[in-house]
């Protein structure tokens, strides 16, 4: 293996591990920019009144991994710790690394060890003589865990509120050759899908009952307004954390879409997406300040005012995408750069 840790602070803990698996194929950093391309939005309530979904992602990442790099993400779940350990060993026996899940509360190297519960993902690169080499790219940790330690982590995580099953992800090359180039048609399809979702299309894997695109701002703002009325602190902070995490992930998606647009030479449009990234991050930070001091009523007006600015920026970007697509329909798209994709 040519590297240990993959450092990219704008990818969430799962996505940074996917990037690490791909780099071990190997795939060049310059080509990963085309993978993290979704910049949509949807909001959806769930059956649990204390929970909801807010996300910029409306399509499975595996579709892009296969289309861009000729590999498939293989996922296998287990509901028992011992079975999960066997699944991990089977994945590592192929000679490739694997992604595992854990409640970070139980990871002994973590700063959150026995302090804070939340779901996490990390990479296991190999297993030898009862020891597992791990790369926690998100927290920039590279080290060894004994099998007994890892088994205890699996058992405890399956008893946490986050997991009924734990999944192992591994990357498997397909029999066919990987696609040879990033085509104008691919780039146009990405922009078309993002534009369609932001205009209100429930595209691909949006859950039933979703509010897609710009329509998501109304229920999001309703949820923000509800924070000051929730009496139970644990419920209030749970809802605030869902919003905060969602806003940060949406901001990250705009940052990565900005990188894709720069890669195809659309610098002005890329700059507009960078502004959206920054605006979502400001909204997230305002939420964090409100939660830290339990001052949701005092911060509500500022947060809602920021959300109105974010909505305006998203509406502007959606219109710019529509203009971009219209220009493709009325003129050649040959100026979009073609890149050679790396194969294993």
């Amino acid at each position: 293996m040519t590297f240990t840790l993959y450092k990219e602070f704008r990818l969430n803990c799962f996505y940074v591990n996917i990037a690490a698996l791909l780099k071990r194929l190997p795939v060049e950093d310059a080509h990963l920019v085309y993978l993290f391309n979704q910049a949509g939005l949807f909001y959806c309530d769930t059956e649990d009144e204390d929970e909801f979904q807010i996300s910029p992602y409306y399509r499975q990442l595996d579709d892009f991994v296969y289309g861009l790099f000729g590999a498939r993400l293989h996922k296998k779940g287990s509901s028992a710790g011992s079975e999960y350990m066997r699944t991990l060993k089977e994945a590592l026996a192929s000679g490739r690394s694997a992604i595992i899940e854990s409640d970070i509360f139980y990871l002994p190297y973590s700063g959150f060890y026995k302090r804070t519960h939340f779901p996490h993902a990390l990479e296991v690169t190999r297993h030898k003589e009862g020891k597992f080499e791990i790369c926690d790219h998100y927290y920039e940790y590279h080290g060894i865990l004994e099998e007994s330690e890892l088994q205890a982590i699996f058992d405890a995580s399956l008893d946490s509120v986050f997991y009924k099953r734990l999944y192992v992800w591994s990357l498997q090359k397909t029999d066919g050759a990987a696609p040879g180039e990033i085509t104008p048609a691919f780039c146009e399809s990405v922009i078309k899908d993002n534009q369609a979702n932001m205009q209100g299309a429930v595209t691909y894997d949006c859950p039933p009952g979703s509010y897609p695109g710009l329509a998501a701002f109304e229920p999001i703002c309703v949820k923000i307004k509800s924070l000051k009325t929730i009496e139970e602190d644990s419920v209030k902070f749970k809802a605030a954390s869902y919003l905060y995490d969602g806003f940060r992930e949406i901001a990250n998606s705009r940052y990565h879409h900005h990188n894709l647009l720069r890669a195809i030479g659309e610098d002005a449009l890329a700059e507009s997406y960078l502004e959206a990234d920054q605006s979502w991050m400001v909204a997230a930070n305002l939420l964090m300040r409100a939660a830290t001091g339990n001052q949701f009523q005092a911060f509500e007006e500022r947060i809602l005012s920021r959300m109105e600015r974010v909505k305006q920026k998203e509406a502007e970007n959606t219109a710019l995408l529509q203009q971009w697509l219209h220009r493709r329909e009325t003129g050649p798209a040959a100026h979009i750069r073609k890149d050679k994709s790396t194969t294993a």
Side-chain angles (χ1 to χ4, degrees), residues 14 18 21 73-78 81 83-92 96-101 122 124 154 165-172:
F14 180 65
I18 296 298
L21 295 190
L73 282 171
H74 177 75
K75 181 175 80 169
K76 186 174 181 181
S78 306
E83 179 186 353
Y84 191 59
M85 178 65 78
R86 287 194 298 272
T87 301
L88 172 60
K89 289 180 178 179
E90 289 170 3
L92 295 174
R96 295 198 181 277
S97 57
I99 300 171
I100 62 170
E101 295 182 297
L122 58 147
V124 182
F154 296 160
R165 295 176 68 82
L166 293 171
Y167 288 91
V168 172
W169 283 268
S170 57
L171 200 62
Q172 299 179 354

Side-chain angles (χ1 to χ4, degrees), residues 5 100 107 109 122-126 132-137 141-145 150:
L5 294 175
I100 62 170
L107 293 175
Y109 63 83
L122 58 147
E123 183 189 23
V124 182
T125 58
R126 62 178 175 175
F132 290 83
E133 181 182 13
I134 65 168
C135 288
D136 193 329
H137 304 280
Y141 175 83
H142 177 217
I144 300 293
L145 287 177
L150 202 55

Side-chain angles (χ1 to χ4, degrees), residues 59-294:
R59 183 175 173 185
Q60 292 294 323
L61 195 66
D62 190 32
D63 295 341
F64 294 112
V65 171
Y66 175 71
L68 289 169
F69 308 118
R72 288 288 191 191
L73 282 171
H74 177 75
K75 181 175 80 169
K76 186 174 181 181
S78 306
S79 56
S82 57
E83 179 186 353
Y84 191 59
M85 178 65 78
R86 287 194 298 272
T87 301
L88 172 60
K89 289 180 178 179
E90 289 170 3
L92 295 174
S94 69
R96 295 198 181 277
S97 57
I99 300 171
I100 62 170
E101 295 182 297
S102 167
D103 184 337
I104 203 167
F105 183 88
Y106 302 111
L107 293 175
Y109 63 83
S110 169
F112 300 97
Y113 182 53
K114 294 187 177 179
R115 290 177 49 215
T116 304
H117 291 273
F118 59 87
H120 188 51
L122 58 147
E123 183 189 23
V124 182
T125 58
R126 62 178 175 175
H127 167 239
K128 186 177 182 181
E129 298 177 352
K131 299 180 185 295
F132 290 83
E133 181 182 13
I134 65 168
C135 288
D136 193 329
H137 304 280
Y138 193 80
Y139 291 110
E140 299 185 10
Y141 175 83
H142 177 217
I144 300 293
L145 287 177
E146 299 284 345
E147 182 169 339
S148 58
E149 291 181 291
L150 202 55
Q151 186 66 70
I153 290 167
F154 296 160
D155 293 337
S157 294
L158 281 165
D159 286 334
S160 76
V161 297
F162 297 112
Y163 299 111
K164 294 180 180 179
R165 295 176 68 82
L166 293 171
Y167 288 91
V168 172
W169 283 268
S170 57
L171 200 62
Q172 299 179 354
K173 287 292 294 179
T174 60
D175 293 334
E181 61 183 22
I182 307 299
T183 66
F186 169 80
C187 297
E188 185 170 337
S189 70
V190 165
I191 291 173
K192 186 175 182 179
D193 283 351
N194 282 329
Q195 192 271 342
N197 177 254
M198 290 305 297
Q199 276 200 327
V202 183
T203 44
Y204 295 98
D205 300 305
C206 288
S210 294
Y211 295 84
L214 297 173
F217 278 90
E218 182 175 351
I220 290 172
C221 289
V222 168
K223 186 62 68 174
I224 291 169
K225 293 175 184 177
S226 74
L227 294 174
K228 66 178 183 294
T229 66
I230 301 174
E231 295 184 2
E232 188 175 344
D233 283 348
S234 62
V235 176
K236 181 188 304 182
F237 293 126
K238 181 180 180 181
S241 68
Y242 271 65
L243 287 168
Y244 173 77
D245 291 342
F247 286 7
R248 281 183 58 87
E249 199 60 29
I250 295 164
N252 287 343
S253 75
R254 273 53 182 171
Y255 172 79
H256 291 295
H257 197 56
H258 143 266
N259 285 339
L260 181 146
L261 291 166
R262 285 186 61 193
I264 64 173
E266 296 291 342
D267 292 341
L269 187 52
E271 187 65 25
S272 192
Y273 268 86
L274 192 59
E275 292 171 8
D277 157 41
Q278 294 164 350
S279 203
W280 278 107
M281 201 64 77
V282 170
N285 290 337
L286 285 170
L287 267 171
M288 176 59 72
R289 290 180 62 187
T292 300
N294 197 2

Side-chain angles (χ1 to χ4, degrees), residues 22 25 27 31-32 35 64-71 173 178-179 341:
L22 286 166
L25 276 180
V27 167
H31 296 139
L32 289 174
L35 176 62
F64 294 112
V65 171
Y66 175 71
L68 289 169
F69 308 118
K173 287 292 294 179
S341 168

Side-chain angles (χ1 to χ4, degrees), residues 308-326:
E308 182 61 32
R309 292 175 64 182
V310 175
K311 183 179 179 181
Q312 291 174 3
K313 171 52 67 175
E314 291 290 350
E316 175 188 328
N317 285 353
T318 301
L320 289 174
L321 292 187
Q322 181 61 61
Q323 294 169 20
W324 189 95
L325 290 166
H326 179 70

